[in-house]
Structures are given as C-alpha cells and as structure tokens.
C-alpha cells in the first residue's frame, strides 16, 4: 500500500530525474501510518528532511514525542546510504509567522535561534536545517522580518 509519503517522494523523483538533488521529506507522524524510516527508498534521494521541530517564542526548540521517536532510526537509515538529513524546523504549527517574526526582529533572539539550531544539529547528527517559516511575507508587525533572520545563519 502506497502512503502519501511514497507518492510525494515518487512524484518528486519523477519530476526531477535530471536534477542533482532529490529531497525526501520524512514527517515524524508517518509512524502513525506504519511508514518507518526503513521504508524510505534511500537510493532514490540525495538529501532527507526530518519534520518537524517547533520554534518556541524564546527561540528555543521543542521536539515532539513523534520526532524524538523517529530521530535515531531515521538518521541511522540515512547514514547507511550516505544521505545527509536536515532537521526541518517549523511547518504549519511549529514556525508560524508572528512567532518567528518576533524572533527575527530581535537581534538577541535571532542569535539565540541560530545558536540553538546549530547546537541541536551538532548534538543529534543532522547535516543542517530546513526552515519552513509559514508565512514570512505576511504583515505581523510594521514590516516583514524575513530578510533579518538570514543574517545569523551561515
């Protein structure tokens, strides 16, 4: 039985056959449809994304129970195939505009978020971060802050 993740991955692969990078998105809630990290066809992807970490208002990160449960297995499976995995941060609920807008607008919080993301990736073995900020262009304050967030990420 093909899951939504299988279909999304197959579609991405078919659409990008000539591309040099194919990213497989693994949502931590896939465990509820019995789609384990070992079910991913790692030979078809060049990079993985593990969704999702939540950004809290104080620029710290929150790891759901689903995320924590799937983290080790996902990273081990990807490593077998030499596929780097990015920690996907945010999403619909975990990185909503007004919350990240406030962090992006504050130099101290912006630096804290960059450091927290770095520390998390190093501690757990992620190759980097995929920031899914929904929706940075919306007016949550006097001006969009999306350009400011990138200043502390290198």
């Amino acid at each position: 039985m093909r899951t939504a993740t299988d279909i999304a991955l197959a579609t991405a692969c078919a659409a990008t056959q000539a591309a040099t990078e194919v990213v497989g998105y693994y949502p931590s809630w896939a465990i509820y449809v019995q789609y384990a990290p070992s079910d991913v066809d790692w030979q078809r992807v060049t990079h993985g994304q593990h969704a999702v970490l939540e950004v809290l208002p104080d620029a710290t990160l929150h790891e759901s129970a689903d995320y924590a449960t799937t983290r080790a297995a996902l990273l081990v499976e990807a490593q077998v195939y030499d596929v780097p995995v990015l920690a996907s941060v945010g999403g619909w609920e975990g990185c909503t505009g007004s919350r990240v807008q406030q962090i992006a607008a504050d130099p101290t919080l912006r630096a804290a978020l960059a450091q927290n993301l770095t520390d998390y990736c190093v501690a757990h073995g992620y190759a980097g971060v995929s920031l899914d900020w929904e929706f940075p262009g919306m007016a949550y304050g006097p001006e969009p802050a999306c350009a400011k967030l990138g200043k502390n990420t290198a």
Side-chain angles (χ1 to χ4, degrees):
M1 178 176 151
R2 293 183 64 124
T3 66
T5 305
D6 285 329
I7 294 166
L9 182 57
T11 302
C13 289
T16 60
Q17 285 180 348
T20 58
E21 294 181 358
V22 176
V23 179
Y25 182 86
Y26 186 85
S28 58
W29 55 90
I31 60 174
Y32 297 111
V33 293
Q34 279 65 54
Y35 192 78
S38 59
D39 295 327
V40 174
D41 186 354
W42 292 104
Q43 295 177 10
R44 297 191 65 177
V45 297
T46 60
H47 296 77
Q49 287 186 359
H50 187 200
V52 304
L53 281 171
E54 181 181 2
V55 177
L56 300 179
D58 64 354
T60 57
L61 305 172
H62 175 260
E63 183 181 72
S64 71
D66 301 343
Y67 197 90
T69 298
T70 56
R71 179 179 7 94
L74 184 71
L75 292 171
V76 166
E77 288 292 328
Q79 186 176 32
V80 168
Y81 294 93
D82 199 28
V83 174
V85 177
L86 304 175
S88 185
V89 179
W92 181 251
E93 292 182 19
C95 202
T96 54
S98 60
R99 183 183 309 166
V100 178
Q101 188 95 349
Q102 292 167 357
I103 292 170
D106 182 311
T108 302
L109 288 174
R110 206 166 52 240
L113 179 59
Q115 189 61 56
N116 290 337
L117 290 169
T118 300
D119 293 346
Y120 183 86
C121 288
V122 169
H124 296 292
Y126 288 96
V129 172
S130 169
L131 181 62
D132 183 3
W133 177 359
E134 298 182 15
F135 296 89
M138 292 181 68
Y140 293 101
E143 64 182 71
C146 50
K148 294 180 182 176
L149 188 61
K151 289 184 178 182
N152 288 88
T153 57

